[in-house]
Amino acid sequence: MKVCVVGLGYIGLPTAALMASHGNIVVGVDISKRAIEDIRRTGGPAEEPGLQKLVKGVLKDGSLRLSLKPEKSDAFILCLPTPVNEDKTADLSYVVAATKSILPFVKKGNLVVLESTVPPGTTEKVVAKLVKAKGLDPRKDVDLAHAPERVLPGKLLDELVNVDRVMGGLTDRATERVRKLYSSYVKGKIMLTDATTAEFVKLIENSYRDVNIAFANELAILSEMLAINVWEAIEIANHHPRVDIHRPGPGVGGHCIAVDPYFLVEIGEGRAELMAQARAINSHMPQHVVAKAERLLGRLKGKKVAVLGIAYKGNVGDPRESPALDVIQLLESKGAKWAAYDPHVKYSPLKLSALEAALKGADLTILITDHREFLELEPKELGNLVKGRLILDTRRMLDRAKWTSAGWRVVCLGDSKKR
Ligand code: SAJ
């Protein structure tokens, strides 16, 4: 098959490379010249194991070509971002623009697949409508389907190949064709349904996680009120064979779990109350963290706070929607000085410092991201840099005994148990 993959971001690029390495001729399209040059030079993000090697290989053997424009193909795959607008509705402008960009090249008998995470009904109402406007019947002339990705950043290639997938077309023929296309490289089970159910499934997976984390965060707040340790409580509760409570933390970040539930809230017209409330609880966590910092220091004005980690989660370099950004903004609004260190983030919206500079003279250190490097920190050495040996661990990842014996006071989110 000749396949045109539009959008060479964190899903589009590995998808294009996998399609190319499994017998297809692939044109990878991106409107950004810089993105294409970067891919040519590096082979893609270094933190994704195996990706650079794979991309360089398929570029070299010619099975993947990069281009600024789509071209005639047998199948088109749309992998565009779907951010949320200010009012928390889905911003489909990238999906619409990409669909319009392929339409001059789409002809009878083609398959068009939407990979982007979208509100239920988008394939049927938005993409199909654009296809129809071009004079093609979206149920007869072309096959339209949705095939959402479900992969975890940091494990992209492995999960794209091995994780089970859900796919659904507007017609049975479209469903069968999308299955066939992806089965060239997907080893996981491919579950087939209709397009709107596939869109819904993708959203409920991430919303399930958001609601579960909100529950854990609520438990953390209750545990602080009860002067007990939420981590201990959750660990014991999770021994029950039918209980699986997630981990509390400083809030939910990233461009998936912190965004996708809004798409269900949007179509729910007031009926998706649980998911809306979970979003509110998780979005409030940075405020809870800063209120805790304020209680620890008396007042924040004029104090220096060192922030460890601005990525949205451990061992990735992505700070999008990270709770750290909200924590820093709140600290600033309260007149605190701050300095942040992150060993993974390369492109930061905020000024980052080296570890020593971040901790120098700090009255309080807040650990936001559970990067593995923070397990190796030496509290004795760091103790000589700071003004106050006080650390707020929002992930319960530090070895309390090690830090305490180096003269630090360790305060943990969700734990106010007397010791
Ligand atoms: N988090 C917690 N407590 C937890 C788990 C996570 O506070 O117990 C926080 C993390 O620190 C992070 C946020 O939640 O800030 C999201 O992290 P994550 O690891 O749960 O998820 P993502 O956003 O990196 O990836 C998710 C995955 N979805 C599910 O696990 C259901 C992934 O499989 C999806 O493909 C991805 O969203 C996506 O692209 O939609």
Side-chain angles (χ1 to χ4, degrees), residues 120-340:
T122 303
T123 308
E124 187 162 3
K125 291 188 189 129
V126 180
V127 181
K129 205 170 147 194
L130 291 167
V131 168
K132 209 168 172 184
K134 151 110 204 275
L136 289 167
D137 186 325
R139 290 176 181 273
K140 289 196 183 118
D141 298 334
V142 290
D143 290 318
L144 294 189
H146 182 56
E149 54 80 19
R150 302 165 128 176
V151 296
L152 216 52
K155 297 173 79 176
L156 281 188
L157 275 192
D158 171 39
E159 293 212 344
L160 277 177
V161 173
N162 295 310
V163 164
D164 295 346
R165 298 283 298 247
V166 54
M167 296 175 191
L170 285 197
T171 60
D172 289 347
R173 190 182 66 188
T175 306
E176 177 47 27
R177 280 188 75 189
V178 71
R179 184 200 64 74
K180 207 165 162 209
L181 175 64
Y182 280 83
S183 58
S184 63
Y185 71 85
V186 173
K187 290 200 188 122
K189 187 170 176 201
I190 299 180
M191 282 159 294
L192 302 178
T193 178
D194 58 90
T196 305
T197 304
E199 292 164 337
F200 188 67
V201 167
K202 164 71 200 194
L203 296 174
I204 64 174
E205 290 166 359
N206 281 353
S207 302
Y208 157 76
R209 207 155 158 81
D210 199 45
V211 168
N212 196 328
I213 298 167
F215 179 60
N217 283 331
E218 197 161 89
L219 298 182
I221 291 167
L222 296 184
S223 297
E224 288 176 3
M225 292 164 67
L226 290 166
I228 59 171
N229 179 350
V230 73
W231 306 90
E232 181 190 359
I234 290 177
E235 201 177 315
I236 297 170
N238 281 351
H239 273 270
H240 186 288
R242 287 174 293 283
V243 175
D244 174 24
I245 305 169
H246 289 6
R247 294 170 65 83
V252 168
H255 47 282
C256 306
I257 297 198
V259 170
D260 296 358
Y262 288 124
F263 296 175
L264 290 174
V265 172
E266 179 184 348
I267 59 131
E269 296 173 359
R271 301 301 297 272
E273 289 173 71
L274 177 64
M275 286 178 269
Q277 192 56 33
R279 280 285 66 240
I281 291 170
N282 289 335
S283 304
H284 183 77
M285 287 313 285
Q287 268 162 277
H288 182 72
V289 170
V290 172
K292 226 169 151 56
E294 199 162 25
R295 276 197 299 279
L296 288 169
L297 291 178
R299 64 202 287 256
L300 285 166
K301 198 167 180 347
K303 300 279 170 61
K304 178 176 173 184
V305 179
V307 176
L308 293 180
I310 69 153
Y312 81 95
K313 71 172 184 178
N315 312 320
V316 300
D318 185 351
R320 277 177 294 175
E321 317 288 332
S322 171
L325 306 181
D326 290 336
V327 167
I328 288 171
Q329 198 183 35
L330 286 163
L331 289 171
E332 234 174 47
S333 72
K334 289 181 178 287
K337 289 176 276 178
W338 61 269

